[in-house]
Amino acid sequence: MTSHDSTPPLPRPGGIAARALGVRAAEPGYLARLNPEQRLAVETTEGPVLVLAGAGTGKTRVLTTRIAHLLATQKAWPSQILAVTFTNKAAREMRHRIGELIGQSVEGMSWLGTFHSIGVRILRRHAELVGLKPNFTILDTDDQIRLMKQVIQAENLDEKRWPARQLAILIDGWKNRGLTPKDVPPGEGGAFANGRGVALYALYQERLKVLNACDFGDLLLENLRLFREQPDVLRDYHERFRYILVDEYQDTNVAQYLWLRLLAQGRKNVCCVGDDDQSIYGWRGAEVDNILRFEKDFPGATVIRLERNYRSTSHILAAASHLIAHNESRLGKTLFTEHADPEAPKVTVASSWDQDEEARAIGEEIEQLQKRGQKLDEMAILVRASFQMRAFEDRFITLGLPYRVIGGPRFYERQEIRDALAYFRVVVQPADDLAFERIVNVPKRGIGETSFKLIAEHGRRRQIPLTLAADELLQTEEIKAKARTALSGLVAALGRWSAAAETMKHTELAEMILEESGYTEMWQQDRSADAPGRLENLKELVRSMEEFESLPAFLEHIALVMDRDGAEGTDAVSIMTLHSAKGLEFETVFLPGWEEGLFPHQRALDESGRAGLEEERRLAYVGITRAKKRALIWFASNRRIHGLWQSTVPSRFLDELPEAHVDVVEQTSSYGGYNVGGIGNYGASRFDRADPFQNSYSTPGWQRAQSNRGGPKPAPRSSVRLIEGELIAKSTGSRSAYSVGDRVFHDKFGYGDVAAIEGNKLTIDFDKAGQKKVVDSFVTAA
């Protein structure tokens, strides 16, 4: 094992050797630009250091200056510094800033990168010690799911009942906690495959080794195993890294925490920079306790608080600090600014009648700010859930106001929305081949590429829509039995929905289509973190249809919306979720939807209780502190939830804001609603209901749609009823070019004789395959 004891000592700044080299001990310019707390964080180089960096306090400056200081004072060579970030972008920015500070390009900092990039490098150096070869493959998500399907099938389990994607989420959660199959606590795998979850995990890991492959979770999990089982290797890295620095420490999961703690036990010169008040990623494995127990993990650690904010006004900082102080699980700090602006507006709280009025009011406010000279780029709308974006997008399109969605596609461009719209388009216009192609096997129903290719080829030859081509092929045996059964069910459903469109309200029809097609159930069975949001988006899509008189009218509106050019490269308002906003800043920030059940989100409260509430409060803190000059909070008195109007209750977070730093706008809507007279007067009974989304006097829309199942009668089996008259005539009027007794050849069934003819469908006695029904375009004269 290579030893690093032979590394030559570095000249001590100000020492005899340095003076002989002409090196003066003058204070470097990069230190002069720091405030006292930042400078302390940079110059406290020895021993464990925790830098609690509040929002807008110069965290990145401290981190990069600290590395530059270690290099400039020659306390370490670039290769002796381990600097860990969460994104490649952050690593690139850090490298660039360090170069600017020390006046040269940063060469040799090979250990500056993300957790996973550094984990890969270590793993390739020692692959044989964990049963791999150095050229191992890193599987992407699709390959990971495919391999898990193979494991499930090999164990004779029903993959439809026990989806590979659900197993992937289970295993990923274990890996994020640093758990190998033998480490998983008893009972944790009991919910999957009748208690076989852990066994499947073990089989999956064995298959990875056979394939010489790792998934993303293994990149750290195998590092942990390496360090624990090979103390010489760990000792080598203890000698190698003189200093360790970690960015965004509050966002680390258990595996990342264990990995860092093992590496830091050597010299103990570890500096973690983070903010416990901005830990908002618990849903993807982040553990706020990692930063809270830093002093316990590293006894004698120095804790430095950066509280001097350079971003926001005193009103915004006071409001955010007062709000977050209600959290119990925090180390504690209070943001302040030395540049108080007496003209700066207070944080504003306003109410609206419903989400549409909320969007109108915010749109008008944006237009007023724009008239006063503020750029749209300097304004952002931060929502708790992505389904809230739809009302703002529609409003801005009406106003001609440029906007961009950050961190994801615009509402009508999201996968689940496009899928749902494709179903609606086929029902309204059966000749829409692009829409049919999108939904023919979504959700998966066993209609593979081979079957679809046959449908497409037949459609092209006959010059008919895919729906009609599919219907014709169902009368033959061209398509395999399993796929034929699935296709028959889809064609029958399209006919049934088309018939129902004549009598059923279009919103109820939309619910019925999403439910009977299995599309809603597909996302309900999905255990990924974004599945609940996709279901909410589908419900918002149905809700948005109400203002239109029919399904065709709604689809026409959507076509115009989706045809709109994007706002890239232009001055535009940013719309994003609160989670996507972390690390960003804007002059003006709009925060709509501050209502119980939406924010704090009911799911977070149900799943995580007090911990969930505190993370939601941290999310509110992040939202407020994105604003430099203006923070405007809205809540609606009524909101459409699950297809029904609900009277909403203002968020508890509003009462946790300080009255001295908040202006409350009286309700001016002609609709009425809350008449807010001040913070704290939102009504004493707002927490009387355990679930603010519950409504005892009506049935949720998705259930109501079910109750209508007995209404519309199923249409005849053929989708021919869906096609325009000229297409029907084209189909039924055609005659085959073959006659009974003709000798023909089929690519699949071989030679045979025509026994009967019905339009363009032939009954053929094949020499080897027996009697089959086929379409005449699939055979040639023998």
Side-chain angles (χ1 to χ4, degrees), residues 315 344-350 631-633 657-666 676-679 682:
H315 289 308
K346 296 181 179 181
V347 173
T348 300
V349 174
L632 302 95
I633 300 171
L657 298 172
E659 292 193 47
H661 298 279
V662 175
D663 275 337
V664 178
V665 179
E666 296 281 343
V676 181
I679 302 297
Y682 296 125

Side-chain angles (χ1 to χ4, degrees), residues 281-461:
Y281 298 118
W283 50 275
R284 68 182 187 198
E287 288 281 350
V288 69
D289 285 347
N290 294 347
I291 193 170
L292 298 178
R293 61 169 172 252
F294 186 88
E295 292 177 272
K296 182 178 179 181
D297 289 335
F298 299 98
T302 301
V303 179
I304 302 169
R305 287 172 168 80
L306 303 184
E307 301 171 302
R308 198 182 310 246
N309 179 278
Y310 293 95
R311 176 190 298 160
S312 307
T313 67
S314 57
H315 289 308
I316 290 171
L317 297 180
S321 295
H322 196 275
L323 172 68
I324 200 63
H326 288 77
N327 270 6
E328 297 175 3
S329 300
R330 63 189 297 261
L331 296 171
K333 63 183 175 304
T334 303
L335 300 181
F336 68 92
T337 178
E338 294 177 340
H339 306 288
D341 181 2
E343 302 299 321
K346 296 181 179 181
V347 173
T348 300
V349 174
S351 66
S352 61
W353 173 251
D354 60 15
Q355 60 266 32
D356 292 328
E357 185 181 283
E358 182 180 64
R360 284 195 296 273
I362 290 177
E364 290 170 2
E365 186 72 26
I366 289 172
E367 288 186 315
Q368 291 301 316
L369 289 170
Q370 188 182 27
K371 288 178 182 177
R372 297 204 294 267
Q374 185 170 334
K375 292 184 176 180
L376 297 179
D377 281 338
E378 297 172 347
M379 293 181 261
I381 299 173
L382 310 183
V383 299
R384 176 59 184 87
S386 60
F387 77 85
Q388 294 174 258
M389 296 180 185
R390 202 276 313 168
F392 294 102
E393 292 189 50
D394 279 359
R395 183 60 184 166
F396 292 171
I397 290 167
T398 301
L399 294 174
L401 200 65
Y403 73 90
R404 63 174 64 91
V405 173
I406 306 296
R410 292 181 294 180
F411 183 83
Y412 293 113
E413 294 172 351
R414 296 176 185 275
Q415 174 192 340
E416 64 277 12
I417 301 302
R418 282 186 174 273
D419 288 345
L421 291 174
Y423 269 104
F424 303 160
R425 283 163 52 191
V426 175
V427 170
V428 170
Q429 172 51 274
D432 191 334
D433 284 357
L434 292 176
F436 181 80
E437 181 178 359
R438 186 179 183 97
I439 58 94
V440 68
N441 201 38
V442 178
K444 292 186 183 302
R445 46 175 66 94
I447 306 173
E449 291 184 9
T450 302
S451 298
F452 182 78
K453 185 178 179 181
L454 287 172
I455 298 171
E457 288 176 349
H458 182 59
R460 282 196 298 271
R461 277 193 294 265

Side-chain angles (χ1 to χ4, degrees), residues 449-752:
E449 291 184 9
T450 302
S451 298
F452 182 78
K453 185 178 179 181
L454 287 172
I455 298 171
E457 288 176 349
H458 182 59
R460 282 196 298 271
R461 277 193 294 265
R462 298 267 291 114
Q463 296 185 344
I464 57 177
L466 293 178
T467 48
L468 186 55
D471 183 71
E472 288 191 354
L473 285 183
L474 284 176
Q475 313 314 310
T476 74
E477 297 178 56
E478 300 288 348
I479 299 176
K480 291 183 179 179
K482 183 178 179 181
R484 192 161 66 245
T485 300
L487 184 62
S488 177
L490 176 62
V491 168
L494 289 172
R496 187 167 63 254
W497 298 331
S498 179
E502 301 296 325
T503 57
M504 183 178 285
K505 185 178 178 182
H506 61 289
T507 52
E508 294 181 357
L509 174 65
E511 291 176 340
M512 182 172 75
I513 292 171
L514 293 176
E515 194 171 289
E516 290 188 351
S517 66
Y519 193 75
T520 298
E521 183 183 7
M522 180 185 80
W523 289 116
Q524 289 171 339
Q525 295 298 323
D526 192 299
R527 294 295 180 267
S528 61
D530 60 349
R534 293 184 189 275
L535 287 167
E536 288 179 340
N537 290 340
L538 290 172
K539 293 167 186 172
E540 177 64 15
L541 175 68
V542 175
R543 194 212 68 77
S544 69
M545 296 167 59
E546 291 191 341
E547 58 191 273
F548 299 90
E549 62 180 16
S550 66
L551 191 55
F554 173 71
L555 291 174
E556 181 178 305
H557 166 74
I558 298 305
L560 296 174
V561 169
M562 295 178 74
D563 189 51
R564 177 183 176 273
D565 291 334
E568 296 304 320
T570 64
D571 188 32
V573 179
S574 296
I575 307 176
M576 69 193 81
T577 64
L578 286 159
H579 285 100
S580 299
K582 189 169 176 289
L584 303 178
E585 58 183 40
F586 302 89
E587 291 289 309
T588 301
V589 168
F590 298 92
L591 299 160
W594 281 43
E595 301 133 29
E596 284 294 309
L598 180 54
F599 195 38
H601 203 286
Q602 191 63 42
R603 186 170 63 251
L605 304 183
D606 292 342
E607 294 178 357
S608 304
R610 172 62 61 181
L613 174 62
E614 295 208 346
E615 180 159 318
E616 290 290 292
R617 189 177 284 114
R618 292 194 291 269
L619 198 54
Y621 171 85
V622 166
I624 294 173
T625 55
R626 298 311 94 196
K628 295 181 181 179
K629 291 185 178 179
R630 299 178 189 84
L632 302 95
I633 300 171
W634 254 270
F635 67 92
S637 303
N638 303 276
R639 193 172 291 274
R640 178 72 71 173
I641 305 295
H642 302 317
L644 292 174
W645 284 108
Q646 306 283 335
S647 294
T648 59
V649 179
S651 171
R652 69 189 76 190
F653 296 153
L654 294 174
D655 279 349
E656 296 174 357
L657 298 172
E659 292 193 47
H661 298 279
V662 175
D663 275 337
V664 178
V665 179
E666 296 281 343
Q667 172 62 261
T668 58
S669 169
S670 59
Y671 296 110
Y674 285 101
N675 183 17
V676 181
I679 302 297
N681 295 326
Y682 296 125
S685 63
R686 65 178 181 169
F687 304 124
D688 288 349
R689 287 182 293 172
D691 180 2
F693 283 177
Q694 271 187 347
N695 191 322
S696 60
Y697 54 81
S698 56
T699 307
W702 300 94
Q703 295 179 24
R704 189 177 66 251
Q706 285 184 334
S707 68
N708 290 328
R709 294 298 175 264
K713 301 300 181 185
R717 55 112 193 118
S718 176
S719 65
V720 173
R721 292 174 58 91
L722 307 179
I723 311 300
E724 284 81 350
E726 62 270 19
L727 293 177
I728 296 176
K730 186 171 185 177
S731 170
T732 57
S734 62
R735 293 182 58 83
S736 175
Y738 296 95
S739 303
V740 173
D742 284 353
R743 186 73 169 167
V744 294
F745 176 79
H746 188 281
D747 287 340
K748 179 179 178 182
F749 302 127
Y751 290 97

Side-chain angles (χ1 to χ4, degrees), residues 150-162:
Q150 293 176 10
V151 171
I152 290 171
Q153 290 168 358
E155 292 299 295
N156 296 316
L157 294 170
D158 184 358
E159 205 272 327
K160 290 184 178 179
R161 184 178 180 189
W162 308 111

